[in-house]
């Protein structure tokens, strides 16, 4: 009988939360562990080795099946490692409360970097960790207000104005359609649009949709100002998980202007023509203009979408025929009183 002599296996070893790796070789799990603990000056009792990739604990049975030069993490008693997800979680924690040192290091790396992909990754990283989301006033974050009129003294007021401007634009489009409706129905069309305008004015043109300080039911963002894409008109949500916080920095504010409030049932192709036709064909019935108001100006029919999720194709959706006119109330006839004999 011949004894099979196996060469020592080689590994790249590092301690938890350390980026420094060193090579180590051994013929058993315990040998590699001892050498690792000696190098890192860690106690052997209670320590163990895990595969960096998936967090699997390295045991005697598993030792020889692990490929050479695999990366291992040395854990002491009480420490855990779940594989890549642990590093990703630690990486993401940087964005929650970025340190000045991290920002400076990223800027230094970017200034020396030549590879386009790495440049983009570093630029995106800097964009995120440099955001001043908590700041609200012009005094707290002057760069955010660059290019804006001096009357805007806080971020919420500007973003509220931005939303109001979009909704006012929708109202102007609806109003301008009066010039093409039949002369016989033009007066009624103008009256209805005026009623919509009064309702919108009372609702402050739904500017609260972009205001992070508004009540939960009146805004489309989190209290911190994060907006999530609601997906294309024909989908329930956004497959790409687009999100943005225009309160963070000037670039995010500018980029947010490319996001759309998309009408699920289309404004020009469907809602406005249906309203005009309903007035023409009402024949004694009363048009439920508040139904059209909700389709035109509220989140009942508006979806906030990233520009990539804004489909320009025909939506092929119609207004609900049962909601175009208000229900007609039946007049109860009084019964004739019976004559007494």
């Amino acid at each position: 009988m011949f004894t099979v002599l196996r060469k020592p296996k080689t590994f790249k070893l590092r301690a938890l939360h350390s980026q420094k790796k060193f090579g180590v070789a051994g013929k058993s799990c315990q040998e590699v562990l001892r050498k690792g603990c000696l190098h890192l000056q860690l106690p052997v009792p209670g320590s163990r080795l895990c595969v960096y990739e998936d967090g699997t604990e390295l045991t005697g049975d598993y030792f020889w099946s692990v490929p050479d030069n695999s990366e291992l993490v040395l854990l002491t008693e009480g420490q855990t490692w779940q594989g890549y997800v642990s590093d990703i979680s630690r990486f993401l924690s940087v964005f929650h409360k970025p340190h000045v040192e991290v920002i400076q290091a990223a800027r230094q790396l970017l200034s020396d970097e030549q590879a386009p992909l790495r440049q983009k990754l570093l630029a995106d990283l800097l964009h995120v960790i440099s955001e001043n989301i908590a700041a609200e006033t012009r005094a707290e974050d002057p760069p955010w207000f660059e290019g804006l009129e001096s009357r805007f003294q806080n971020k919420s007021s500007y973003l509220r104005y931005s939303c109001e401007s979009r909704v006012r634009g929708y109202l102007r489009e609806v109003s301008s359609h009066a010039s093409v409706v039949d002369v016989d129905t033009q007066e009624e069309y103008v009256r209805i649009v005026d009623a919509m305008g009064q309702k919108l004015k009372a609702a402050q043109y739904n500017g609260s949709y972009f205001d992070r300080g508004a009540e939960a039911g009146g805004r489309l963002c989190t209290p911190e100002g994060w907006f999530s894409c609601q997906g294309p008109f024909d989908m329930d949500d956004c497959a790409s998980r687009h999100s943005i916080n225009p309160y963070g920095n000037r670039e995010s504010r500018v980029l947010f202007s490319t996001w759309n409030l998309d009408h699920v049932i289309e404004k020009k192709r469907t809602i406005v023509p249906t309203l005009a036709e309903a007035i023409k064909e009402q024949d004694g019935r009363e048009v439920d203009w508040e139904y059209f108001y909700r389709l035109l100006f509220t989140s009942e029919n508006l979806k906030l979408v990233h520009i990539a999720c804004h489909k320009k194709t025909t939506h092929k959706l119609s207004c609900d025929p049962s909601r175009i006119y208000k229900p007609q109330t039946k007049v109860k006839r009084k019964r004739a009183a019976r004559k007494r004999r």
Side-chain angles (χ1 to χ4, degrees):
M1 297 288 291
F2 293 95
T3 303
V4 178
L5 297 176
R6 287 177 164 175
K7 292 182 179 179
K9 288 188 69 64
T10 56
F11 298 97
K12 295 175 182 177
L13 190 63
R14 66 182 177 91
L16 185 66
H17 301 327
S18 172
Q19 298 304 313
K20 293 182 180 180
K21 293 176 278 190
F22 62 94
V24 63
K27 292 186 177 181
S28 71
C29 183
Q30 285 301 316
E31 184 182 354
V32 173
L33 181 64
R34 276 198 312 274
K35 289 182 177 179
C37 287
L38 181 64
H39 182 90
L40 295 170
Q41 297 183 335
L42 296 172
V44 175
S47 295
R48 56 197 175 90
L49 299 169
C50 286
V51 178
Y52 169 78
E53 185 176 335
D54 60 8
T56 303
E57 185 172 347
L58 193 65
T59 60
D61 296 336
Y62 185 44
F63 181 80
W64 291 105
S65 61
V66 177
D68 276 343
N69 294 315
S70 291
E71 188 172 337
L72 303 179
V73 180
L74 197 158
L75 304 174
T76 57
E77 190 172 6
Q79 292 181 330
T80 59
W81 180 256
Q82 297 175 324
Y84 290 142
V85 68
S86 295
D87 253 359
I88 293 172
S89 177
R90 183 165 170 259
F91 176 69
L92 290 176
S93 68
V94 171
F95 300 119
H96 185 60
K97 282 190 176 181
H99 299 287
V100 175
E101 294 81 1
V102 175
I103 296 173
Q104 289 175 341
R107 284 176 178 160
Q108 182 60 47
L109 285 170
L110 181 60
S111 65
D112 298 333
E113 186 55 61
Q114 299 299 318
L117 177 58
R118 288 172 64 88
Q119 282 181 341
K120 184 181 187 312
L121 290 172
L122 285 166
D124 288 347
L125 170 65
L126 269 171
H127 171 71
V128 174
I129 63 179
S130 299
E131 290 186 330
N132 193 359
I133 292 172
E136 175 65 20
T137 66
R138 185 181 282 266
E140 292 172 327
D141 192 0
W144 192 93
F145 293 85
E146 286 180 13
L148 299 183
E149 296 176 32
S150 58
R151 64 190 173 104
F152 298 113
Q153 292 299 311
N154 60 69
K155 297 177 180 180
S156 295
S157 66
Y158 173 75
L159 284 161
R160 177 180 277 271
Y161 165 79
S162 173
C163 187
E164 288 177 5
S165 297
R166 298 192 192 202
V167 176
R168 284 176 187 267
Y170 301 156
L171 181 61
R172 284 194 295 271
E173 288 182 52
V174 178
S175 182
S176 67
H177 191 77
S179 61
V180 299
V181 301
D182 292 346
V183 177
D184 295 340
T185 59
Q186 200 170 74
E187 184 179 343
E188 178 63 7
Y189 183 89
V190 171
R191 187 193 68 79
I192 285 177
V193 174
D194 284 346
M196 289 181 177
Q198 291 301 315
K199 189 175 178 69
L200 264 181
K201 185 177 181 180
Q204 297 182 310
Y205 298 92
N206 292 328
S208 63
Y209 286 166
F210 290 178
D211 183 357
R212 64 179 176 181
E215 293 183 6
R219 52 180 159 78
L220 299 178
C221 61
T222 68
E224 295 76 30
W226 284 100
F227 292 83
S228 296
C229 174
Q230 296 174 322
F233 75 92
D234 55 354
M235 295 180 67
D236 292 333
D237 53 25
C238 174
S240 300
R241 296 293 185 266
H242 294 124
S243 64
I244 190 170
N245 192 329
Y247 288 85
N249 54 40
R250 180 178 177 276
E251 185 177 344
S252 293
R253 168 174 65 77
V254 174
L255 285 173
F256 186 61
S257 66
T258 67
W259 284 49
N260 290 275
L261 278 173
D262 189 26
H263 288 84
V264 178
I265 300 174
E266 293 172 284
K267 176 175 75 270
K268 285 185 177 179
R269 286 194 180 106
T270 306
I271 305 172
V272 174
T274 303
L275 172 60
E277 184 67 17
I279 295 170
K280 182 180 178 180
E281 302 294 333
Q282 62 186 114
D283 190 26
R285 294 170 293 180
E286 186 179 358
V287 174
D288 189 352
W289 64 265
E290 290 186 290
Y291 166 62
F292 289 97
Y293 169 91
R294 291 192 296 274
L295 293 182
L296 289 164
F297 308 116
T298 76
S299 56
E300 181 175 318
N301 188 51
L302 290 172
K303 293 183 79 173
L304 181 66
V305 295
H306 183 278
I307 190 170
C309 288
H310 187 207
K311 295 182 178 180
K312 298 295 183 70
T313 56
T314 305
H315 294 190
K316 296 180 181 179
L317 296 171
S318 304
C319 298
D320 184 349
S322 68
R323 301 176 68 183
I324 291 175
Y325 299 103
K326 290 184 178 181
Q328 290 181 302
T329 54
K330 293 181 180 180
V331 180
K332 293 183 179 180
R333 294 181 179 178
K334 294 182 179 180
R335 292 182 181 180
R338 291 182 181 180
K339 294 181 180 181
R340 293 182 180 178
R341 292 182 181 178

